Amino acid sequence: MERTLAIIKPDATKKRIIGKIIARIEQEGFTIVRMKLVHLTKDEAKGFYIVHKDKGFYDSLCEFMSSGPVVLMVLEAENAIKLWREVMGATDPAQAKPGTLRHTHGFSIERNTVHGSDARDTAEWEISYFFKK
Ligand code: ADP
Ligand code: MG
């Protein structure tokens, strides 16, 4: 069993589609092992996205991620990291495949509805960033 960090981003909580996204997560066979609704500070968002600190979109991304509540979740499944990224779709909703969450609900490459870890080591780091052992 593998674990990944999922986030329902502020564009989605604002649109009141938390329930839809969680229903999809359960339908895909994930077990939600931790979950909380929080309003991140900009500094918390900056710490989380520190790998992107040199990108042009970093400040705007962190502003967006702290603009409203988010749902933080730890999802468990076999190949959870890859499976959740498949369910999310490509970063840019315009490039994401039909049926993926980002294709269906994403507004822009920044406001793209959901987050998912991209590898085992980043998943472990991201989970520990938000959830104590
Ligand atoms: P992913 O979330 O698919 O792993 P990245 O790790 O590359 O994508 O980027 C992290 C987040 O930063 C994206 O989900 C998106 O919200 C935002 N982002 C990525 N690229 C851009 C961009 N070119 N312009 C604005 N925001 C971006
Ligand atoms: Mg990423």
Side-chain angles (χ1 to χ4, degrees), residues 25-74:
I25 285 169
E26 295 193 318
Q27 185 192 322
E28 295 288 347
F30 295 98
T31 302
I32 300 170
V33 294
R34 304 289 297 271
M35 177 160 74
K36 59 186 176 186
L37 180 95
V38 297
H39 193 143
L40 299 176
T41 65
K42 190 166 176 186
D43 279 348
E44 285 169 334
K46 284 170 88 174
F48 180 72
Y49 280 117
I50 195 76
V51 292
H52 294 305
K53 69 175 164 35
D54 297 326
K55 309 263 172 65
F57 60 78
Y58 180 61
D59 189 70
S60 173
L61 171 63
C62 296
E63 194 67 47
F64 161 59
M65 288 299 289
S66 56
S67 68
V70 298
V71 180
L72 306 171
M73 282 171 287
V74 178

Side-chain angles (χ1 to χ4, degrees), residues 9 49 52 57 61 85 91 102 109-112 115-116:
K9 295 186 178 185
Y49 280 117
H52 294 305
F57 60 78
L61 171 63
R85 289 195 68 94
T91 308
R102 284 166 164 176
I109 192 166
E110 177 181 85
R111 297 170 187 231
N112 59 2
H115 166 86

Side-chain angles (χ1 to χ4, degrees), residues 18-32 73 75-77 83-84 87 99-101 104-105:
I18 292 173
K20 270 189 188 149
I21 294 171
I22 290 175
R24 178 70 183 275
I25 285 169
E26 295 193 318
Q27 185 192 322
E28 295 288 347
F30 295 98
T31 302
I32 300 170
M73 282 171 287
L75 308 184
E76 190 174 81
L83 178 60
W84 176 234
V87 174
T100 62
L101 289 168
T104 305
H105 303 293

